[in-house]
Each structure stands twice: as C-alpha cells, then as structure tokens.
Amino acid sequence: MDVVDLDSVDLTDFTDSERAIFNVLRATLQYPATPSAKNEKLANDMIFLCKKQDADVGGMLWGIWTTLIDIVYLIPPDHPWQNSLVQSLLILRRLEDHATDDGKSIRVKDLPGFDVYMSEIWQGDQNITYDGEEPPAGFTKWQNWNSFLARLTSSEFAPWLQFPILQLREALEEPALKGSVMEFRVWVATEWIIHSGDPIFQIMFSTEEFKKDAAESLAVGRLCENISPLSIERWEYWQRRFVELSLNADSIGLSIGITTRISDALKRMDDILERRDSLLKDT
C-alpha cells in the first residue's frame, strides 16, 4: 500500500475550523481500524462536526468538503483511504437526518453544497487543459480527484455528469496527442467508464433540456461532429475510438497499462449494453 503523507497538506490558509476538520479526518484515516469501522467513523465525524452546538451548518459542511478534497488530492486510486472517504459519503447518502442551516431544514443525504464545490474545482485552476507533450504538475491531483468522484457517482447520485462527458470528449473525440499527455487523458476517461459507466450511459438517453453551460459541456468533439451529444451513437463511437487507440498504442505512445485499462473499459461498456433495458427502465 502506498504511503500517503497527510502532513504534506499546506494548512497555511486554513481557518481554525478547517484545521480542526483536517485533524479529525486525518486521525480517523490513520487509526488502525477495519475498513468498515473506519468508514462509519468518518461519516460520524462529519455528522458530529455539523451538530456541534456553535456550528454554522452550511459553513461547516463547506469546510468539510474543501478539507476532504485537499486530502483526496493526495490519495491514489485504489488506496484503502480513498475507498474509506467514498464509503463515508455514501453512508451519509443513506441517512434521513435533517439539519437546520440559517433557519432552513436541509437533508444530510443530499450532501448540501458538495456538488457546488466540485463544480468550482472543475471550472477553476484544477481543471487541467494542455496541448503539450508533457502533463502538467497537477496531473496526480487531477487523477486522484477524478478517480474519487467517479467512484462516488452512481445512477442514484450523479449531479455532475458533464464532468465525465468532458473528459471522454477530450480523450476520445479530439485528435490524439502522443505520449504521457494522451496516457493521462485516456486513463481519466477509462476511470469514469469503469466506475460510472451506468449513469453516463443513462444520460445518453436523457430528454431533459439543459441550460446553456451544461449543453456546452455535453457538446461533441471535432472527430464526431455529426453525432448527437446525447445518443447511443455517441456511446458506440466511444467504443470504436477506444479500440482504435488500443490498436495504435505504439504509434501514440500508450503503455501496456493503458491498453489494459482500455480493455477493462470496453468490457464494462459491453456489460452495460447487455443490461440496457434494465438501466433505461430506471431513468
């Protein structure tokens, strides 16, 4: 298991409340407990912080989300701590508890404000775009964050499906780059398909009218401009493009590790197509 150095988190700009949140979450992650016990404790930690007598619930939740993501940035995919953080939020999603924020009742299971903060990250400095041959320094952060979010996303909780669509567009619907940058793009795209393929497939059949910003996020890339943004044709295009990238791995500079991930993503996509009727019945 990779060693995660949580002491490397820069607390300089943290408020006193955020420092307290960080110390609580760090202590629970580092404590030698079973995974299930750790998951429950993390969820209980967040509830406890929100129920403190002097807590501003909205402000406390925002502090929890921002601090939690600062930790997520450091935790690699498949690390037990990543799973614990994902599971702790899924535990909160199953609760029926209510809290009062500024006189209004809010449901803990909705993770109030979490989707807003995720959108801020996506639109802000962490949204890495590049055209060079080498990925930027923020690669690891972006990879860890996408992996965390992909594992949290499900058919029941997917308030940010424009995020994976953008990543799939960048990797599969734009001309291929070469080397490590393309590896990065394809890795992120496969992570979303492997862990959140169901809701991504379901949105392909959505009849919802999206606001301008969301519609722009769902737009197709230059390689498939004649395909409808929300259609089975787009899903099938992604499948074909994954195959093309795998077949041309040597010329593009993709590693065996990435071609293995492409194979896993294609298997996941085939499985989803086999379950098409049941998936669409739930939409």
Side-chain angles (χ1 to χ4, degrees):
M1 182 177 73
D2 293 337
V3 176
V4 178
D5 180 16
L6 294 184
D7 292 330
S8 65
V9 174
D10 185 1
L11 304 179
T12 304
D13 295 327
F14 277 38
T15 64
D16 290 343
S17 176
E18 289 167 340
R19 286 192 182 90
I21 294 167
F22 174 78
N23 288 332
V24 168
L25 298 181
R26 176 177 59 180
T28 299
L29 285 170
Q30 293 177 336
Y31 189 76
T34 63
S36 60
K38 197 183 294 282
N39 304 345
E40 290 281 351
K41 179 65 167 60
L42 284 165
N44 289 334
D45 287 343
M46 296 180 213
I47 294 170
F48 168 77
L49 288 164
C50 288
K51 289 187 174 180
K52 288 175 62 177
Q53 187 173 2
D54 59 344
D56 162 17
V57 176
M60 182 61 73
L61 280 169
W62 190 263
I64 290 172
W65 306 148
T66 59
T67 305
L68 183 146
I69 296 302
D70 278 330
I71 294 172
V72 163
Y73 286 148
L74 298 176
I75 302 176
D78 296 316
H79 191 284
W81 288 2
Q82 186 199 60
N83 185 60
S84 286
L85 291 174
V86 169
Q87 293 303 317
S88 69
L89 294 188
L90 293 179
I91 290 171
L92 295 183
R93 289 272 304 140
R94 294 194 291 269
L95 297 178
E96 295 299 332
D97 294 41
H98 285 66
T100 302
D101 179 38
D102 197 23
K104 298 178 181 178
S105 178
I106 58 175
R107 298 194 307 175
V108 174
K109 68 186 299 180
D110 293 334
L111 307 184
F114 188 78
D115 59 333
V116 175
Y117 185 51
M118 297 307 97
S119 182
E120 285 193 6
I121 293 173
W122 201 276
Q123 295 171 13
D125 292 341
Q126 298 303 327
N127 188 358
I128 299 171
T129 56
Y130 43 79
D131 294 311
E133 294 184 357
E134 294 299 325
F139 164 79
T140 301
K141 266 189 182 180
W142 191 243
Q143 181 184 45
N144 294 347
W145 181 72
N146 272 272
S147 179
F148 169 80
L149 211 57
R151 293 161 198 250
L152 182 61
T153 304
S154 67
S155 297
E156 293 74 36
F157 186 64
W160 40 59
L161 281 178
Q162 69 271 29
F163 302 169
I165 299 296
L166 279 166
Q167 295 305 296
L168 286 158
R169 182 174 76 197
E170 188 172 67
L172 304 177
E173 299 177 356
E174 298 293 343
L177 300 177
K178 292 187 177 181
S180 57
V181 166
M182 196 61 191
E183 283 234 346
F184 174 36
R185 290 182 172 180
V186 175
W187 190 98
V188 172
T190 56
E191 188 76 350
W192 278 103
I193 290 292
I194 290 168
H195 295 287
S196 299
D198 284 9
I200 293 172
F201 179 77
Q202 287 168 323
I203 200 177
M204 292 295 105
F205 295 86
S206 174
T207 57
E208 178 183 350
E209 289 194 13
F210 293 92
K211 294 180 180 179
K212 181 180 178 182
D213 289 348
E216 289 176 353
S217 298
L218 296 172
V220 298
R222 287 176 288 173
L223 297 181
C224 55
E225 290 179 342
N226 295 324
I227 293 177
S228 175
L230 298 180
S231 64
I232 186 63
E233 288 77 21
R234 191 175 194 182
W235 181 268
E236 292 170 343
Y237 172 82
W238 291 340
Q239 289 181 293
R240 294 195 300 272
R241 186 61 173 153
F242 270 134
V243 172
E244 289 174 4
L245 292 175
S246 185
L247 292 175
N248 292 285
D250 288 342
S251 61
I252 299 171
L254 300 181
S255 67
I256 293 176
I258 291 296
T259 57
T260 299
R261 288 184 63 87
I262 290 175
S263 177
D264 291 341
L266 286 168
K267 289 176 184 176
R268 179 85 171 107
M269 296 178 87
D270 286 340
D271 170 70
I272 288 169
L273 285 174
E274 289 178 5
R275 295 183 291 110
R276 170 177 175 163
D277 290 345
S278 63
L279 284 172
L280 297 182
K281 184 174 64 175
D282 297 332
T283 58

